[in-house]
Amino acid sequence: MKNLAIIAEYNPFHNGHLYHLNKSKELTNANCTIALMSGNFLQRGVPAMWDKYTRSKMATTAGIDLVLELPFPYATGSAKDFASGAVNILNSLNSIDYLCFGAETDNIDLLTKIADIINTEPDYYKEQLNIELSKGLSFPHARTLAITNYIGSKHPDLINIINQPNNILAIEYIAALRKINSKIQPVIIKRHSAMYHDQTLYGSISSASAIRTHIQSNDFDMDKLKSDIPLEIYDIVVSNYNHTWPIDVDKLTPYIQYKLLNPCNYSEICDISLDMANKLNKLSPVSNYQDIIKALSSKDLTNTRISRSLIHLLLDYKEADRDMFLANNYSLYANILSFRKESSQLIKTINQQSSIPLITKKADFNKYLSNYKHINQNIAKTMWDLDTKATVLFNCLVYNSYGTILPSDYNIQLPII
C-alpha cells in the first residue's frame, strides 16, 4: 500500500484542489491520501472563513481519505515553521510515501538546490544575507537576494521564482525533508490556471483568494461559485451561510483591544520583536484590527508577519513555546479531523507504525499520550492547549457574529464520509 500526503488549508476546497488531488494520485499511483490541514487559523495570521471541521468535511467528501490537523503553532508560523512542523509530523507517521505539493514551477532540481543552500548556509550565502538584512530589508526579501547572489546569473528569473508563494513553501518542504533524511518522496504538481493571489473568478479553476474576495464583495452571488467548486462539495461550502460563516479578521477587533487594555511583556510572544513590542505599548485600544496592523507596519515587517504575531498574542503563544516544540522535533501528535468510512485500515496501519499518537477521541488525549513514553507530555499538552484554545476563540467569533454555538474539540462528532 502506498500513501501520499498533501499539506493544505482548503479555505475553501475548490476545483484547483481537486485537480491537485487527482494529479497527485495519477503521478504516484498511491492507494490512500492523507491531508494535513491547518486548523481554524491560517498561515497569513487570519481566521479561516469556515471552521476546521467543515473544511475537513469538504476534503473527505472530495476524496481525501484522512484529514489531520496541522497544529496551531505551525499553521500560523513562518513558511519554515509551517513546512518543518508539517513534514516532521508526516514523517513521524512512518506511513507516508509521497508528499505532493503545488508550485509555480516544476523545476525540482532548482528548488532542491535552493533548499540545500537554506539548510547548509554556506559562508558566502550568510555573508550576503547579513548584507541585505543590514539594509533594513525584511528577512524573506533579504534571503531572496542572498540566494540569488549566491547562485549567480545562470537563472535570470530566479528572484521571481523564489518569491512565488507556492514556490516558497515548496522550497521549505524540500528543505525539511532533506534535513531529516526523510524517506518521503517530494512530488511537485505545477500550479494550473489561477495563481495564488489571482482575484478573478474564472468559472473553472479560481484561487481560494478569488473565491473569498467574491464572498466578501458587495455583489456576492452564491451561484457564481458553482463553477469553481466541485459539485459534490458545493452544498457543504455554501451551507450555513450567515449562520456559521463567513468569518474574517475584523471579527478579532475586540480581542486585540482587550490585549492592548491589559498589556503584557509583548516581546515574549512568538514573532513579536522588541521594536514591535514598543509600538504595541504605544497603541490606543480604540482601533480596529486592520488599523492596528497598519500602525505596526514597517519596511522590515510584512503585514503577514504582523498578523501572525497578533494571533500569537491573542492566544498567548510564546517564543519559549516555539523553541520548546522545535527542540522536541516538532512532532508530538496527529489529530484526526475527519475520514472516510473505508479508511479504517489506513487508520489502523498508521496506529501500528506511527511514533506519535493518532488522536481520535479528543477527551482521551492524555490517555493516547501515555502510550508514547518518548514524548514529553508537558510539551505535548502545551501544544494541545493552544490547538483547543484556538478552536474556542474561533467558536467565539462565530457566536459573536451569528449567535451560533459550534461544538468544541471535546464534544465534536467527527465528520465521517
Side-chain angles (χ1 to χ4, degrees), residues 11-12 40 48-52 54-55 58 215 237 245 394:
N11 188 41
N40 287 320
M49 190 168 278
W50 295 260
D51 71 277
K52 64 186 181 184
T54 296
R55 287 164 31 245
M58 295 177 197
I215 289 169
V237 173
W245 73 278
F394 188 90

Side-chain angles (χ1 to χ4, degrees), residues 236-292:
I236 302 172
V237 173
V238 302
S239 64
N240 291 314
Y241 175 63
N242 278 340
H243 183 64
T244 62
W245 73 278
I247 296 297
D248 59 53
V249 70
D250 290 331
K251 304 292 193 298
L252 291 170
T253 293
Y255 300 92
I256 195 65
Q257 289 171 333
Y258 177 81
K259 284 292 186 179
L260 293 177
L261 276 167
N262 298 273
C264 62
N265 186 351
Y266 295 124
S267 60
E268 289 185 350
I269 301 298
C270 184
D271 285 330
I272 293 186
S273 64
L274 185 58
D275 180 56
M276 192 191 302
N278 291 334
K279 287 183 178 181
L280 282 167
N281 278 314
K282 296 174 184 176
L283 284 181
S284 167
V286 188
S287 304
N288 67 38
Y289 206 84
Q290 300 280 24
D291 287 342
I292 289 170

